[in-house]
Amino acid sequence: MKWDTLDEEPCSLSRTVAVVGDRWTLLILRECFLRVRRFEGFQSSLQITRHLLSERLKKLVRFGILRRVPYSEAPKRYEYILTQKGLDLYPIIMAMVHWGDTHMGDERGRPMLHEHKTCGKLFDPVMVCSECGEVLHAKQVHVHAGPGRNEAVG
Amino acid sequence: MKWDTLDEEPCSLSRTVAVVGDRWTLLILRECFLRVRRFEGFQSSLQITRHLLSERLKKLVRFGILRRVPYSEAPKRYEYILTQKGLDLYPIIMAMVHWGDTHMGDERGRPMLHEHKTCGKLFDPVMVCSECGEVLHAKQVHVHAGPGRNEAVG
DNA sequence: AGGCTATAGTTCTAAAATAGAACTGTCAAA
DNA sequence: TTTGACAGTTCTATTTTAGAACTATAGCCT
């Protein structure tokens, strides 16, 4: 498995890792969900080098996660907005935040709390089965090869 | 924000990224969930270099994601087993697989299908609110600083 | 006009991480 | 005694990332 062709692997995890699985990308996306849109905004809140930020933004645009939208004509300036494909990354981010809350916390308590506007309560994200609605656990899931698989694995 | 102290940031996403956010780690964990336990097993299915595999397994053991358990006394041999902390990474992996299924697919269809043993059906993972059970969307969530936060962000 | 600031990058060198291959050590089986 | 399986370690070369300085456009102030 090669890193530069990871997005062509017959594995949806590999393909996702090809997009968000490198240094900084997930942190940039966190800022996007916190309504940051501009180069200087990302750079100052993340302390990422300008060079790498530029590379990562290009990559996210190339993969259709962000759109580069002009907000000033002279001088020409752009901001970066999440597409629907980008918004759909939200469950990944939330799953990671929840794991961090649960397993990487310290005595000071959670860094962030999440309020569900729909019900008005502070919540945790929970992953359930689309068919029966039960909470998912690794040991209750059986994996089958699907049509897009060309070799038998696991 | 520095990469070698990312696990000390007052942000649960950063802390999770510190553990699973580097090259190969999530793919190694995928193999763990597919019941791979041994060095040669990881190496042959991932084509990762032996050096890096060794590093990553050490790191996962250090963070308490995997346990290194002897399975042979002479010669001394070990296998790597997911701890509860490791098993709890399942929603992250599933969220990534689902996003890949949705947004990175090709004409051949899904590489893998998932069956929920509890209800017997093929399913997708869905992220819901722990309080009201509704499906979560980024725009319906409001973020507050929690007690573990020492600066105002977002 | 001349200089300051803001924004969004690009370009350079040095340091760190990763790739790729070969090597080590233990033991069992042929 | 030789071969093979397993679980690593060690080495050099390449790629990525860090860190800092530099470029370019334009508004605003004096």
Side-chain angles (χ1 to χ4, degrees), chain A residues 12 88 96 101 103 115 144, chain B residues 12 16 88 101 103 115 144:
Chain A
S12 291
D88 286 351
M96 294 182 79
D101 280 342
H103 290 290
E115 178 190 334
H144 304 267
Chain B
S12 291
T16 301
D88 286 350
D101 280 341
H103 290 289
E115 178 189 334
H144 303 267

Side-chain angles (χ1 to χ4, degrees), chain B residues 25-132:
Chain B
T25 294
L26 279 165
L27 298 175
I28 291 170
L29 288 166
R30 176 193 71 189
E31 297 301 307
C32 293
F33 282 106
L34 291 171
R35 316 278 191 286
V36 173
R37 292 167 147 79
R38 297 182 185 177
F39 193 94
E40 297 295 323
F42 294 112
Q43 207 280 322
S44 65
S45 63
L46 292 174
Q47 300 295 101
I48 182 178
T49 66
R50 307 177 74 78
H51 176 54
L52 216 43
L53 175 57
S54 175
E55 291 294 308
R56 289 294 184 271
L57 290 171
K58 277 178 198 159
K59 176 179 169 181
L60 288 168
V61 169
R62 185 157 37 82
F63 273 116
I65 310 288
L66 297 177
R67 251 177 326 128
R68 188 162 173 268
V69 181
Y71 72 91
S72 152
E73 281 306 317
K76 201 87 177 175
R77 296 268 159 76
Y78 298 88
E79 56 188 6
Y80 297 87
I81 312 283
L82 284 165
T83 61
Q84 187 59 48
K85 186 173 177 181
L87 286 166
D88 286 350
L89 290 165
Y90 192 66
I92 296 175
I93 307 253
M94 285 304 280
M96 295 182 80
V97 168
H98 182 55
W99 188 86
D101 280 341
T102 305
H103 290 289
M104 300 293 283
D106 58 27
E107 68 292 336
R108 293 176 301 170
R110 298 186 177 195
M112 298 278 214
L113 301 172
H114 298 270
E115 178 189 334
H116 193 206
K117 290 182 195 172
T118 312
C119 71
K121 298 195 183 133
L122 296 178
F123 74 99
D124 286 320
V126 176
M127 186 154 281
V128 302
C129 169
S130 59
E131 304 308 304
C132 71

Side-chain angles (χ1 to χ4, degrees), chain A residues 89-124:
Chain A
L89 290 166
Y90 193 65
I92 296 175
I93 307 253
M94 285 303 281
M96 294 182 79
V97 168
H98 182 56
W99 188 87
D101 280 342
T102 306
H103 290 290
M104 300 293 284
D106 58 27
E107 67 292 333
R108 294 175 301 169
R110 297 186 179 195
M112 299 278 214
L113 301 172
H114 298 269
E115 178 190 334
H116 193 206
K117 290 181 194 171
T118 312
C119 72
K121 297 195 183 135
L122 297 177
F123 74 98
D124 286 321

